Amino acid sequence: MKIISVVGARPNFMKIAPFINAIRKHNVNTGNEAIEHLLVHTGQHYDERMSKVFFESLGIPEADIHLGIGSGSHAEQVGNTMIAFEKVLREERPDWVVVVGDVNATLACAVTAKKEHIRVCHIEAGLRSGDMDMPEEINRLVTDRLSDLLLTPDRLSNENLRKEGVPEEKIRFVGNIMIDTLEANRQKAAALDVGTIIRDNLLESRTELPDKVESFSILTMHRPSNVDRKEVLEPIIDFLLDEVCAREVLIWPIHPRTRKQLERFGLWDRVTAEPNLILLHPVNYYEMLKLNMEANTMLTDSGGLQEECCVLGTPCMTLRWNTERPITLREHGGASILVGNAVDKIRRAYKELSQSTRKPQRPELWDGQTAQRCLDALLEAQG
Ligand code: UD1
């Protein structure tokens, strides 16, 4: 069997790492029936800190093929990826293309493979936010509609797919593959030192640091719905500076898109002037895991961090009005509250969660063994 797996953007890397390991193990154990595997990186994320450091820290082999797509409008990213990936598929003719998550690379490569009559397997299928303003929701819907094998992280996702009429035999509940990566790296992350993480990743623009950082919360924010409009972003920044940083240190590993927007809206100087706000470059996987393990609370609009907070028990404010990952919410036993981007709601949740303690949860099959189940499902589907 020949498989091409695709990665493009940061959240893909922690999902593909365990899958590649499962293939390696399979090949060591089976000899003759070895799987031929090629890794394609579309290049949607290209900064060293958004891409290369994850390959290095997670032991992902260098991509066999790099499409070098880079940034651009969604149509440019998807279109350019399709043109380049079609050439790869015509040359390589794999039996399966495996895509993960919901980024533009996921969509582009699923569509291209289907048009080349190559079977598509989607890892992390069935998540739905119901919010068609989110580019990721469009990516999820189209990818799942085209996929031949849909591997889901939870039973709610199976239900979503059933409601859309996906035939039962295409769906397999395998658990959350990202938690494989969390479990494999937990100990290594725990051994890190927060002070060292801060020093190693500090943005040059900051001059002074609090003497000791023992108690802190974390912020990550990059969704267009939060950072692309000044009238939304500015009140959030006001709240963070005036109310969160008045109480505690806030560590913010900042996404390149968010930094650009803060500069564009004239907010960058205010943000860099706040002594209790520690601005970092994007951090690597272990560093983020360690910060998450130690944080008082997490404020985030990331999908993956909601899930990691659930397993680590970190009280989490999800800066979105909806989530495709409802299993991470407190009403489903998780650690997160949806707070959108309205400051009064964020303030209320922040007050409540600042008092609460860690409650680690383990949804069904988030057990660190999902990658093997993904590969087993693929082998079974191949027949
Ligand atoms: C993408 C994913 C999003 C995911 C996020 C994680 C889509 C539609 N969105 O959003 O689901 O949560 O990745 O980071 O696929 N940039 C750089 N260097 C890089 C990458 C991006 O400077 O290495 C800047 C560029 O200005 C670029 C902007 O960030 O235009 C946005 O990058 P893009 O890949 O379009 O989307 P993300 O916001 O990163």
Side-chain angles (χ1 to χ4, degrees), residues 51-304:
S51 175
K52 190 162 174 243
V53 293
F54 290 90
F55 275 67
E56 287 168 359
S57 58
L58 297 175
I60 305 172
E62 185 126 345
D64 299 286
I65 300 165
H66 209 295
L67 306 183
I69 299 305
S71 297
S73 72
H74 285 243
E76 282 165 342
Q77 272 185 354
V78 171
N80 290 335
T81 306
M82 286 182 69
I83 293 166
F85 193 54
E86 184 183 64
K87 293 196 182 93
V88 172
L89 293 180
R90 289 190 175 169
E91 188 113 325
E92 300 293 341
R93 300 307 309 170
D95 299 298
W96 288 88
V97 167
V98 174
V99 293
V100 294
D102 54 17
V103 302
N104 286 342
T106 313
L107 164 82
C109 293
V111 176
T112 315
K114 241 6 230 177
K115 283 180 175 286
E116 285 296 303
H117 310 291
I118 293 166
R119 283 187 284 178
V120 176
C121 167
H122 184 204
I123 300 181
E124 202 185 78
L127 296 179
R128 296 289 182 269
S129 67
D131 178 356
M132 290 299 281
D133 286 334
M134 268 186 94
E136 294 81 2
E137 185 73 354
I138 302 166
N139 296 346
R140 291 181 206 112
L141 278 166
V142 176
T143 303
D144 284 344
R145 185 69 188 82
L146 298 179
S147 290
D148 300 277
L149 183 59
L150 296 99
L151 305 178
T152 63
D154 54 49
R155 292 191 190 276
L156 299 170
S157 300
N158 286 41
E159 210 39 57
N160 292 336
L161 294 172
R162 268 182 213 123
K163 276 192 223 141
E164 289 171 17
V166 177
E168 202 63 39
E169 63 271 17
K170 288 188 176 181
I171 309 170
R172 292 274 183 294
F173 167 40
V174 292
N176 189 334
I177 198 160
M178 217 184 58
I179 304 306
D180 290 22
T181 303
L182 187 151
E183 293 304 339
N185 294 292
R186 206 179 182 134
Q187 277 188 329
K188 195 165 169 188
L192 298 183
D193 170 61
V194 171
T196 311
I197 296 173
I198 292 172
R199 278 192 300 281
D200 287 351
N201 294 286
L202 200 61
L203 277 174
E204 304 82 16
S205 52
R206 264 200 67 92
T207 46
E208 44 177 324
L209 269 183
D211 290 341
K212 220 161 190 233
V213 180
E214 278 171 345
S215 170
F216 60 89
S217 281
I218 315 189
L219 167 70
T220 83
M221 187 164 59
H222 70 283
R223 298 272 164 215
S225 55
N226 287 332
V227 305
D228 281 5
R229 280 182 300 145
K230 187 175 183 186
E231 63 272 25
V232 173
L233 185 56
E234 191 167 25
I236 299 177
I237 296 294
D238 288 341
F239 167 75
L240 296 170
L241 297 180
D242 298 345
E243 301 185 45
V244 177
C245 293
R247 286 180 54 142
E248 61 177 338
V249 168
L250 184 64
I251 299 181
W252 187 2
I254 195 159
H255 190 288
R257 170 190 203 108
T258 310
R259 180 177 181 164
K260 275 178 203 164
Q261 299 299 52
L262 287 168
E263 286 168 349
R264 184 157 80 95
F265 299 145
L267 296 169
W268 186 243
D269 286 348
R270 279 186 60 208
V271 161
T272 52
E274 168 55 54
N276 259 358
L277 181 60
I278 301 183
L279 284 170
L280 303 182
H281 290 287
V283 293
N284 73 26
Y285 181 77
Y286 303 115
E287 292 167 336
M288 195 64 204
L289 193 51
K290 173 67 177 181
L291 294 176
N292 195 349
M293 285 171 173
E294 302 295 331
N296 300 329
T297 65
M298 167 79 69
L299 296 109
T300 189
D301 59 13
S302 146

Side-chain angles (χ1 to χ4, degrees), residues 19 26 149 172 370-381:
F19 182 68
H26 171 91
L149 183 59
R172 292 274 183 294
T370 292
Q372 188 57 52
R373 286 190 286 270
C374 292
L375 188 57
D376 290 345
L378 249 177
L379 289 164
E380 193 189 318

Side-chain angles (χ1 to χ4, degrees), residues 20-33:
I20 293 177
N21 276 338
I23 293 179
R24 273 192 198 132
K25 269 192 223 149
H26 171 91
N27 285 352
V28 168
N29 294 335
T30 53
N32 284 348
E33 287 164 54

